[in-house]
Amino acid sequence: MLRDAKCMDYSRLNAIVREAGEDVVLKNVCGQRFIGAGLSGRKIEIDGVPGNALGAYLNGAEITVNGNAQDAVGDTMNDGEIVINGSIGDAAGYAMRGGAMYVRGGAGYRAGIHMKEYKEKVPALIIGGCAGSFLGEYQAGGIIAVLGLDKKDDTPLIGNFPCTGMHGGKLYLRGSIEGLHFPNQVNVKKADAEDMEKLLPYLSRFASVFGISLDSLKNDEYTVVTPDNANPYKQLYAAN
Amino acid sequence: MKLEGEVRIPSGCAIAALISKDGKRVSGETIIKAMLPMHDRSNGLGGGFAAYGIYPEYKEYYALHMFFDSRDTRKACEVFLKERFEIVKSELLPTRKIPQITDEPIIWRYFVAPLKSVLESMQLEEKEYVMRTVMKINTEMKGAYVFSSGKNMGTFKAVGFPEDVGVFYRLDEYEGYSWTAHGRYPTNTPGWWGGAHPFTLLDYSIVHNGEISSYDANRRFIEMFGYKCNLQTDTEVITYIMDYLLRIQGLSLEEASSVVAAPFWSVIENMPEKEKNKLKYLRTVFPSLLITGPFSIILGFEGGLMALNDRLKLRSMVVGEKDDKVFIASEEAAIRMMEPDAENIWSPDGGEPVIIQVKDGVQL
């Protein structure tokens, strides 16, 4: 189903998408919030700029955005896939608990904040470009990867204060991490074969959705950041 | 007219701006459009606009936009104004009656020039004189409120959604080289006309999305220098801080940004020596003007705009360009409404000022 969303109120647009019962293509989207919230079992393609909280609580649906997306994409997403061909705003994948998100461009501040995992539910957030400060803040599980494609020499791969409060999951960074500062409570090391094996399916999917050569992605050097369980967060505020 | 502080309402906001670097004037319709996709960021308790370059025929005069609660207050205030200024024009600010905007105060516009004799006897520089007069009216004259006091610029604000406020004030009939806009979702206070954004002093205007937690510390400091925070609204103090740092202290826009959104000490420690020393100096001299808590602001001034996020970037801000124009907004969707083909869309970092000025030599 094709719908022109021009100047349409967000609640009406979302009702149309919800009740469609089939795949939906939306044209002229401009800032409508909550598109695809909680949905499962269909594909949604978006032309234009979707509003905040795109795919919030997404439960299995597949969303493709042909341009940029705004803040809080995939907030508390449970399952499904979100593909953003452009860049993405702040707090992408906020508290994500399942499914995967692929971003061709860069991400704003706080990408992957408070991502979590449980048993087979392992969310993944793959950022093609660079990411802003507070990347993976309070990360409790899941996989975040920043690939730094098209990175300019004078811009850092990620901003300040990455992995603040990290206590689970893995953060992968492609290429050099020179000049980046990490907190004391995380381990930063070169990704080994086991780490790469875990990342590979996501790199492979990233390469195929955006038409990029997988070889050039998987053969590069990666750094992996994990919480340091020998140095946990204790007595930060009070002696207990 | 209900005053601030009488009720507490729990809250987001929307901001947008555009500027032509060539100084080309555009009508208010464009900036009104920007507010449409961000409608739900406001709750109808305040909307407003600042426009620069709209009064070229009166550009030598301060344009005072005022709210009055009654005709008597206006008459009394005019007697006071005439003691201090030559009033070259005095008129009702043109508005449209629309059902969305109700309970408006009396809204008046004056174009004034300070009386030379009084200026000389008070030994004050002209802008300081105008600033003190504005503070005096807003503090001492009950029911009278100056909400715009710059030259060749004006603020237009009301209780309502911003897109309706724009129609109410007939902004389609004005042309400016730079515009800012705000949709309000008040956090701590009821929406009243004076409490809507932008907050203006002289040609400085501020639109703000956020809620600053340093308000009282900032207020106590700034009130030592003749400013009076009458509105119990956090944004007001930001306007006065900018006037103090830029006009009184003579700081550059970048330096003023480093005062209000100072980098963390841990970040400063990793900087090159020269930059480190400068930032340490600014943090040491103006510790009380550090603004904490979430904010994204756009400062309007004669010939330019500056956008700034708090250092933690707890609010969104997007910038885009097209030809001679630069667009700023809380959401990219708003920029696309102003210019569907906007290019170079990017989000500045927390504490990173984005300064856009009209090119040198352009007559405004």
Side-chain angles (χ1 to χ4, degrees):
Chain A
M1 184 177 75
L2 175 78
R3 285 306 292 239
D4 188 339
K6 193 166 188 176
C7 299
M8 198 186 280
D9 177 68
Y10 78 89
S11 53
R12 189 166 155 237
L13 178 63
N14 286 318
I16 288 169
V17 173
R18 217 167 29 242
E19 286 151 22
E22 58 172 339
D23 294 351
V24 188
V25 178
L26 302 174
K27 299 275 180 200
N28 295 315
V29 171
C30 192
Q32 288 93 345
R33 298 175 174 197
F34 312 121
I35 296 176
L39 277 188
S40 49
R42 78 198 62 173
K43 291 181 179 167
I44 302 167
E45 185 183 333
I46 295 170
D47 264 357
V49 182
N52 293 354
L54 169 74
Y57 300 91
L58 196 72
N59 199 22
E62 292 166 41
I63 298 177
T64 301
V65 179
N66 294 325
N68 298 337
Q70 296 187 166
D71 298 337
V73 177
D75 184 341
T76 325
M77 170 176 177
N78 184 52
D79 199 5
E81 184 180 87
I82 299 179
V83 173
I84 311 287
N85 279 280
S87 65
I88 198 165
D90 295 339
Y94 186 163
M96 200 175 164
R97 45 182 265 173
M101 196 186 316
Y102 300 93
V103 184
R104 177 63 184 83
Y109 271 47
R110 295 184 175 78
I113 177 173
H114 220 311
M115 273 170 65
K116 56 195 88 171
E117 67 179 71
Y118 180 68
K119 293 185 177 171
E120 76 286 358
K121 301 290 286 184
V122 182
L125 169 60
I126 315 298
I127 298 159
C130 300
S133 296
F134 301 102
L135 172 70
E137 195 176 31
Y138 306 117
Q139 186 181 357
I143 291 170
I144 303 174
V146 182
L147 307 181
L149 302 169
D150 318 319
K151 175 177 134 34
K152 292 181 195 125
D153 287 342
D154 58 343
T155 52
L157 178 64
I158 59 175
N160 293 324
F161 311 114
C163 308
T164 305
M166 181 183 200
H167 53 286
K170 279 181 192 304
L171 168 69
Y172 292 84
L173 301 171
R174 177 177 162 269
S176 167
I177 58 160
E178 201 192 320
L180 300 179
H181 300 274
F182 294 90
N184 294 328
Q185 291 88 354
V186 299
N187 286 321
V188 181
K189 62 163 185 111
K190 235 189 228 180
D192 59 22
E194 197 185 325
D195 295 322
M196 289 312 291
E197 197 187 336
K198 208 170 172 185
L199 181 64
L200 192 61
Y202 301 105
L203 288 182
S204 166
R205 179 67 183 151
F206 184 92
S208 91
V209 292
F210 297 122
I212 293 168
S213 148
L214 176 61
D215 287 345
S216 72
L217 283 181
K218 72 175 184 188
N219 296 329
D220 274 317
E221 194 166 284
Y222 283 79
T223 299
V224 63
V225 186
T226 50
D228 181 1
N229 294 325
N231 180 25
Y233 302 91
K234 59 177 185 186
Q235 300 190 346
L236 272 183
Y237 303 109
N240 56 9
Chain B
M1 190 157 65
K2 243 190 176 171
L3 291 178
E4 301 278 322
E6 291 177 358
V7 194
R8 182 182 162 97
I9 300 171
S11 131
C13 287
I15 57 175
L18 76 93
I19 182 168
S20 159
K21 289 192 274 190
D22 289 344
K24 285 185 199 153
R25 294 162 72 209
V26 294
S27 98
E29 282 169 295
T30 310
I31 192 82
I32 294 173
K33 269 198 283 186
M35 303 313 281
L36 293 172
M38 302 195 291
H39 177 86
D40 298 294
R41 298 180 75 99
S42 329
N43 66 354
L45 289 178
F49 301 82
Y52 291 82
I54 54 171
Y55 298 135
E57 63 277 31
Y58 291 101
K59 67 179 180 185
E60 307 302 323
Y61 301 96
Y62 292 90
L64 304 182
H65 291 188
M66 294 193 65
F67 293 137
F68 296 109
D69 64 353
S70 72
R71 188 169 179 273
D72 287 347
T73 308
R74 178 171 70 78
K75 290 286 173 199
C77 186
E78 281 180 8
V79 170
F80 172 75
L81 284 176
K82 279 177 189 159
E83 288 169 5
R84 297 192 163 218
F85 296 101
E86 177 199 353
I87 300 177
V88 298
K89 191 167 186 181
S90 158
E91 62 186 346
L92 201 60
L93 196 69
T95 54
R96 269 188 201 106
K97 277 277 177 197
I98 55 171
Q100 293 88 343
I101 306 289
T102 54
D103 296 328
E104 72 261 36
I106 299 166
I107 312 168
W108 216 263
R109 173 166 63 197
Y110 304 93
F111 291 99
V112 304
L115 287 176
K116 286 270 181 315
S117 55
V118 187
L119 253 187
E120 276 166 22
S121 76
M122 289 176 78
Q123 299 191 349
L124 285 177
E125 187 264 331
E126 192 180 279
K127 284 186 172 178
E128 183 68 18
Y129 175 83
V130 175
M131 174 276 210
R132 289 195 191 182
T133 307
V134 170
M135 291 297 151
K136 194 170 170 65
I137 294 172
N138 291 355
T139 309
E140 295 173 13
M141 211 165 284
K142 199 172 174 296
Y145 179 60
V146 183
F147 65 97
S148 187
S149 52
K151 282 181 176 174
N152 199 13
M153 61 81 67
T155 300
F156 304 87
K157 60 191 195 178
V159 171
F161 282 100
E163 58 271 28
D164 299 326
V165 173
V167 172
F168 173 79
Y169 278 110
R170 313 173 81 105
L171 296 187
D172 50 314
E173 296 171 5
Y174 294 82
E175 286 190 329
Y177 62 85
S178 157
W179 290 85
T180 69
H182 186 263
R184 192 172 186 218
Y185 196 136
T187 40
N188 295 306
T189 51
W192 75 292
W193 287 60
H197 302 213
F199 283 88
T200 320
L201 183 61
L202 301 166
D203 65 308
Y204 296 121
S205 67
I206 291 275
V207 288
H208 166 217
N209 167 21
E211 182 175 8
I212 62 176
S213 46
S214 54
Y215 170 72
D216 217 41
N218 301 146
R219 181 191 61 77
R220 280 197 301 271
F221 182 85
I222 207 73
E223 287 197 337
M224 295 196 292
F225 305 97
Y227 302 92
K228 290 280 172 282
C229 296
N230 296 302
L231 305 167
Q232 298 171 43
T233 299
D234 49 3
T235 309
E236 181 189 24
V237 80
I238 305 178
T239 307
Y240 303 156
I241 289 173
M242 285 300 173
D243 181 61
Y244 175 72
L245 291 175
L246 299 170
R247 182 175 63 88
I248 307 290
Q249 291 294 334
L251 264 56
S252 69
L253 290 160
E254 290 88 351
E255 288 163 345
S257 302
S258 299
V259 170
V260 299
F264 289 95
W265 290 113
S266 62
V267 174
I268 293 175
E269 277 311 314
N270 291 317
M271 286 179 172
E273 204 62 25
K274 200 176 163 196
E275 218 179 328
K276 189 195 291 185
N277 288 340
K278 183 170 187 178
L279 287 164
K280 274 186 178 173
Y281 175 83
L282 289 172
R283 284 203 70 165
T284 309
V285 175
F286 300 110
S288 301
L289 295 182
L290 175 68
I291 301 176
T292 59
F295 66 85
S296 63
I297 55 172
I298 302 170
L299 167 74
F301 54 92
E302 188 188 353
L305 292 176
M306 180 176 80
L308 182 68
N309 264 123
D310 68 86
R311 56 204 184 148
L312 292 171
K313 196 173 188 287
L314 293 163
R315 287 294 179 271
S316 54
M317 171 113 73
V318 185
V319 182
E321 300 171 317
K322 180 71 183 170
D323 304 326
D324 65 312
K325 295 196 179 62
V326 179
F327 306 90
I328 305 164
S330 304
E331 299 186 18
E332 182 180 337
I335 293 178
R336 297 284 171 203
M337 288 296 284
M338 294 190 273
E339 175 52 68
D341 300 320
E343 298 156 356
N344 305 329
I345 300 278
W346 63 290
S347 295
D349 282 347
E352 175 193 0
V354 178
I355 299 162
I356 309 120
Q357 283 176 290
V358 173
K359 289 174 190 157
D360 283 346
V362 173
Q363 191 72 30
L364 297 174

